[in-house]
Amino acid sequence: MRRRGTISKVITGTRTDDLTVRLAHFAASLESLSIPTSLDRRRLDLRREWIVRTIRGYLIPRMENPLAPLTVVFAGPTGAGKSTLLNSVAGAEHSVAGPLRPTTKAPLVLASHGLAAEYTLIGGIHCHVVTGKAPILDELTLVDTPDIDSTTRLHRAIAETMIDNADVVVYVNSAQRYADLVPWEVLRRAHSRGAPVVHVLNRVTSASAGAVSAYASRLEEAGLGSDVVAVHEHRRARGAQAVPLVMIQALRDRLVGIVEERLSGKADVVMSVLDALLDQADDVITGIAGLTEMNLSATERSGLAFDDARLGAGVSPMPLGSLKLGALASLNDKRWRVRARVRRHLPPASAVARAHTFMEASLVAGVDADIRAEIISIGTVGPSEVDELVAGSHPAAVAALTDWRRDLEGLQLTRGSLDPGLTAFLLARSVVHGPDDTARDVLALLSGTDQTAGPVTRATEMLEARLAPVYQQTGQQLNSRVAEMVASEEAIYRARTSLSAVMARSSFANA
């Protein structure tokens, strides 16, 4: 009996069993990886699910039955002629063409006698199996699928599942509609599996001969090769569900060539899929490891700290012009210490309170901006999480600055001044922006002393004491958030070890 495939030639039964066990362990290791939260998480998770599904649903079953015929899946958009081409390749009319064909609800599988039970389920999808006696079915099992562009989501999902479980994909398009929307991502995924994809342009006429080269160019631009098999328009007997062999000879030759390469040991579809899948798994693991290392680094940097110089640089200076302090400042320059004259030049209490309120609001905005900038600099937390953390720190910042104002009003310099409210405001302004000449002179005049540097230093210490817990609490929340994003290093090591083992075991596939 002729033996199919190269797995049985290159690998002994024990080695095949060993490889399937290692693949099963590798799939479990890959599945156990925790993917850190990031913009890339969804992409990596989908790729991982697809790899695990392909290992369990395709590679392991194929390796356990290496002599099975190659599964050839006919896929394509509505009305491309998939069913007719399948019948033509098989040399018999098994799949009914038209909108009411069986594949509208389930894939139709054409297999050789005795193998019907093997194809009732493909990738978890129930299939309608028909058996035939055509010689080509000894080497190929043909599968007709629902339209890849179906308006029914379930039908599209079935078609994609069949493609994911194919040894060979025959993607059929028509010369009249090849420029319509093509499911490039589905085709890229088929190509990325490492299984052969045969592109067929059906119903080519003399008027549409240029469509072949145009379609080939589009495929090449999409990174899907440029090899297109043309099936020319033909006359069929009324009601016929197949075309003459001469019309699809090029397609049959391509499929026979894949079979001959397999039988001669020059190529093996399953090992090609394995090699391609291992490359993709390595990319996924590398991506997860990269995110983990980035988040571990972010954990080290996620402790926020208050810096009065940084905060002051980010807060717009509060102008003193609205309080008209020039006259007060000039009184200090001339050493006029007459309290009555000083009182006449004091700004209204309402204006001072308003200025202090504006400055507090500016300081709160500065704290929000400072915390936001520090979080963003870490580089792993998404925009929505940044907004959430800043929103959480905002009320605490408001409360802290209200308490700071009370602290300033309790200082001896403030309590003994001619205008405690104005003195507290000028101290606060000096802390945030540094004391300018006007503020310094007015503080000296109000307090009766030129020794204002000490109170400004004390006011700075008070601000730090009030705001440091706000930064610390937000930093702890950030640290906790980042820590949740860090994947298990042990799981990554286990997956890498499994991957290395699988790659080592599969290296003989190219022997």
Side-chain angles (χ1 to χ4, degrees), residues 36-37 290-300 380 482 485-487:
T37 301
L291 291 176
T292 300
E293 292 167 5
M294 182 173 64
N295 287 336
L296 284 171
S297 175
T299 303
E300 298 172 357
T380 59
V482 172
M485 297 188 298
V486 178

Side-chain angles (χ1 to χ4, degrees), residues 14-263:
T14 303
R15 284 187 173 180
T16 302
D17 293 342
D18 188 37
L19 182 55
T20 56
V21 169
R22 288 179 176 272
L23 277 172
H25 288 166
F26 173 61
S29 296
L30 191 61
E31 200 171 35
S32 71
L33 282 178
S34 173
I35 303 180
T37 301
S38 73
L39 296 176
D40 247 5
R41 180 176 188 173
R42 180 61 176 164
R43 181 186 65 82
L44 289 172
D45 199 27
L46 288 174
R47 179 60 65 89
R48 175 180 60 181
E49 288 178 6
W50 179 71
I51 291 170
V52 170
R53 188 167 62 248
T54 303
I55 289 174
R56 291 173 176 162
Y58 172 78
L59 280 175
I60 292 177
R62 290 299 272 121
M63 289 180 173
E64 290 175 343
N65 188 14
L67 303 182
L70 292 175
T71 302
V72 181
V73 171
F74 286 72
T78 306
K82 302 182 294 295
S83 301
T84 300
L85 290 181
L86 181 148
N87 289 334
S88 304
V89 169
E93 298 182 1
H94 294 283
S95 184
V96 179
L100 298 179
R101 63 186 184 279
T103 51
T104 299
K105 295 182 178 180
L108 183 141
V109 178
L110 178 57
S112 63
H113 285 291
L115 292 179
E118 302 291 329
Y119 297 102
T120 54
L121 276 177
I122 298 179
I125 302 295
H126 288 278
C127 301
H128 177 66
V129 183
V130 176
T131 60
K133 299 180 179 179
I136 198 170
L137 297 181
D138 290 337
E139 304 292 347
L140 302 176
T141 295
L142 309 180
V143 182
D144 196 5
T145 62
D147 301 325
I148 198 70
D149 61 348
S150 173
T151 56
T152 303
R153 185 175 180 179
L154 176 61
H155 295 168
R156 296 197 306 271
I158 291 174
E160 291 184 21
T161 300
M162 293 301 104
I163 291 173
D164 286 343
N165 287 274
D167 293 312
V168 182
V169 177
V170 176
Y171 188 81
V172 184
N173 221 326
S174 69
Q176 290 72 35
R177 297 184 56 190
Y178 75 92
D180 290 355
L181 182 64
V182 177
W184 297 116
E185 288 307 313
V186 176
L187 288 178
R188 287 191 185 96
R189 198 165 71 189
H191 274 270
S192 70
R193 290 180 68 241
V197 179
V198 181
H199 294 281
V200 176
L201 197 62
N202 196 19
R203 305 191 185 107
V204 177
T205 65
S206 56
S208 62
V212 177
S213 58
Y215 186 48
S217 296
R218 293 193 65 183
L219 291 172
E220 188 171 17
E221 289 174 5
L224 302 173
S226 58
D227 188 16
V228 177
V229 174
V231 176
H232 292 273
E233 187 62 273
H234 40 265
R235 290 185 178 182
R236 289 185 287 167
R238 187 172 182 177
Q241 302 289 324
V243 299
L245 176 61
V246 66
M247 296 298 179
I248 51 95
Q249 188 61 53
L251 174 58
R252 281 179 60 98
D253 288 346
R254 191 66 50 85
L255 296 176
V256 168
I258 294 171
V259 171
E260 289 178 344
E261 286 184 344
R262 182 193 190 201
L263 295 175

Side-chain angles (χ1 to χ4, degrees), residues 66 114 184 230 334-335 461:
W184 297 116
K334 296 177 181 180
R335 301 296 177 182
E461 293 171 350

Side-chain angles (χ1 to χ4, degrees), residues 339-359:
R339 298 173 70 89
R341 290 187 179 182
V342 172
R343 290 184 188 283
R344 283 199 299 269
H345 289 86
L346 289 175
S350 59
V352 174
R354 188 162 53 249
H356 211 134
T357 300
F358 286 160
M359 191 177 67

